[in-house]
Amino acid sequence: MTPADLSRTVLGAVRRAVEEGALRGPVPERVKVERSRPGGSGDYATNAALRLAREARMPAREVAEVLSGALARHPGIAGVEITGPGFLNITLAADTRHALVREVLSRGIRYGHGDGMAGQVHQYHHRPDVRAAVTADAVRRLLRAQGAVVRTSCDRAEPAWAQLGATPDALGTPPVTLTELRPVPVDVPADELLRRFGPDATRWALLRPAGHDRPRPDDGLLVQNEGNPLFRVRYAHARSRALLRNAEDLGFTTGPAAHEEAAAYEEGAAHEEAAAYGEAAYAGPADAAASALLTALGDHPAALESAARLRAPDRVARHLEATADALLGFQHTVLPKGDEKPSATHRSRLALAEAAGTVLAGGLALLGISAPEHL
């Protein structure tokens, strides 16, 4: 269950409570759900009850109790706790975490794409500046991934922009005033950026800083170590693919048979392995690295939607860095060690690593950056 799914679940609980007369007032268009803060309880938290209390003419905690009862009956929710003046802290059922991995692998690099902006038409104009051109292209990709229709224009284009995949949809002065994309420009010409860094590193250098910050590309973009965020993200993706190759050499995969075995494992068919590792292959509280990675995957759709809505590709870059860090912290648990034989635990971990690589590849694609299988 992704944050977007959970938000819809909470909204559905609100709607049913209003329809059944347990709450009064209008049903909001959307409900905000966030990851629980460090030290907090549950996987997610929402202030929906506090927002509804005034219209419902009820104390926020009473509203929370109404919603808590409805949410606790949902099969994907393991528990709901009310804290403070009326915050709802929601713990997901373990099988929803496995469902998340299956969803990522099923949707591939389109995981996180949605239709929340379907029917919207966005038209943007930008000045003849390489950073504005690359930003406009990334914004166009992000909005289209959320179902919007997007068109970009510029008074004129430089030949080097085509090598960066940043060609506007139209050239010339628009007949009407359009929203203008105005990120702080870079001080280096496009052709020099391409000569020094190539297309991928150039796009990262222009998209990673927030629009109000000036990019300062330097030779650190080409350094192949984990101090370089772009290398770290692409290296993490390459590691996920290497793990798949290594697993195949050891005789196991994440294919349909692996999912069936993982399901059997979840149901208790592998008690000895569960005792050694925890309650689930990658969802147990003892596995902090897996939990961090699952959090990153679950947050991916919201990160893409937010980046599209705010026209902020830097949000995607930062989210990819967090996902890469989580995967690099998790990768060492995936393959059997020593005389260990591949088990359902390893297959489930491998599926999680594969899903993380898929998210990294999809996010890089939306930034117009390649995701090599080997580095």
Side-chain angles (χ1 to χ4, degrees):
M1 184 181 292
T2 66
D5 294 332
L6 185 55
S7 177
R8 286 191 288 269
T9 299
V10 175
L11 191 59
V14 173
R15 184 175 293 108
R16 287 192 299 275
V18 171
E19 290 173 351
E20 294 169 2
L23 292 178
R24 288 176 291 183
V27 177
E29 291 186 6
R30 58 186 297 176
V31 170
K32 187 175 182 180
V33 173
E34 298 179 316
R35 281 283 174 185
S36 296
R37 303 191 178 203
S41 62
D43 297 311
Y44 292 93
T46 178
N47 65 350
L50 281 77
R51 289 185 55 203
L52 295 166
R54 182 175 179 180
E55 293 286 349
R57 299 179 186 174
M58 296 168 60
R61 281 193 70 92
E62 290 185 17
V63 176
E65 288 169 4
V66 171
L67 298 179
S68 174
L71 292 171
R73 294 191 292 271
H74 192 281
I77 294 175
V80 183
E81 181 182 356
I82 303 171
T83 59
F87 291 101
L88 290 164
N89 296 271
I90 302 167
T91 300
L92 300 182
D95 60 352
T96 65
R97 298 177 172 92
H98 290 278
L100 170 62
V101 173
R102 289 194 294 270
E103 181 182 359
V104 175
L105 296 179
S106 172
R107 298 200 62 189
I109 64 171
R110 291 183 60 82
Y111 169 68
H113 294 206
D115 57 5
M117 296 183 178
Q120 296 183 17
V121 178
H122 297 259
Q123 299 187 71
Y124 299 109
H125 191 73
H126 64 85
R127 58 190 169 214
D129 160 71
V130 62
R131 191 189 187 195
V134 170
T135 299
D137 173 67
V139 169
R140 176 173 55 189
R141 293 169 187 255
L142 289 166
L143 285 167
R144 286 177 176 171
Q146 300 303 316
V149 175
V150 190
R151 184 177 174 83
T152 64
S153 64
C154 183
D155 291 342
R156 57 182 174 81
E158 298 180 18
W161 294 0
Q163 297 179 58
L164 290 166
T167 303
D169 295 311
L171 295 178
T173 303
V176 296
T177 301
L178 301 179
T179 301
E180 187 169 356
L181 298 176
R182 299 178 60 88
V184 175
V186 65
D187 295 330
V188 185
D191 52 359
E192 183 178 341
L193 288 169
L194 282 166
R195 179 181 59 79
R196 290 178 59 189
F197 306 117
D200 285 334
T202 294
R203 285 188 68 105
W204 181 270
L206 299 179
L207 295 173
R208 174 57 182 83
H212 54 75
D213 293 330
R214 188 177 300 279
R216 303 190 184 280
D218 57 34
D219 291 340
L221 287 164
L222 304 177
V223 174
Q224 294 200 3
N225 63 39
E226 292 187 12
N228 174 3
L230 173 59
F231 174 79
R232 195 163 71 247
V233 170
R234 299 172 90 193
Y235 173 69
H237 170 265
R239 282 298 302 146
S240 75
R241 284 0 190 198
L243 288 169
L244 290 169
R245 294 191 296 271
N246 295 339
E248 188 173 4
D249 291 341
L250 293 172
F252 72 101
T253 68
T254 63
H259 292 308
E260 290 175 8
E261 188 172 347
Y265 173 78
E266 275 298 300
E267 293 169 6
H271 293 299
E272 292 182 4
E273 291 177 31
Y277 183 63
E279 291 182 358
Y282 51 73
D287 195 342
S291 180
L293 186 51
L294 283 159
T295 295
L297 300 191
D299 288 346
H300 186 65
L304 296 188
E305 189 275 337
S306 174
R309 181 167 43 83
L310 299 174
R311 305 192 294 272
D314 59 289
R315 287 174 170 251
V316 177
R318 290 198 298 274
H319 176 68
L320 294 181
E321 290 175 28
T323 304
D325 290 342
L327 174 56
L328 293 174
F330 171 76
Q331 60 167 327
H332 307 292
T333 71
V334 173
L335 299 177
K337 294 180 174 61
D339 295 331
E340 269 189 300
K341 292 183 179 180
S343 66
T345 298
H346 297 112
R347 289 177 172 85
S348 291
R349 294 175 189 168
L350 182 63
L352 176 53
E354 182 182 6
T358 300
V359 163
L360 292 172
L364 286 169
L366 288 172
L367 296 180
I369 298 172
S370 66
E373 297 268 328
H374 303 269
L375 275 181

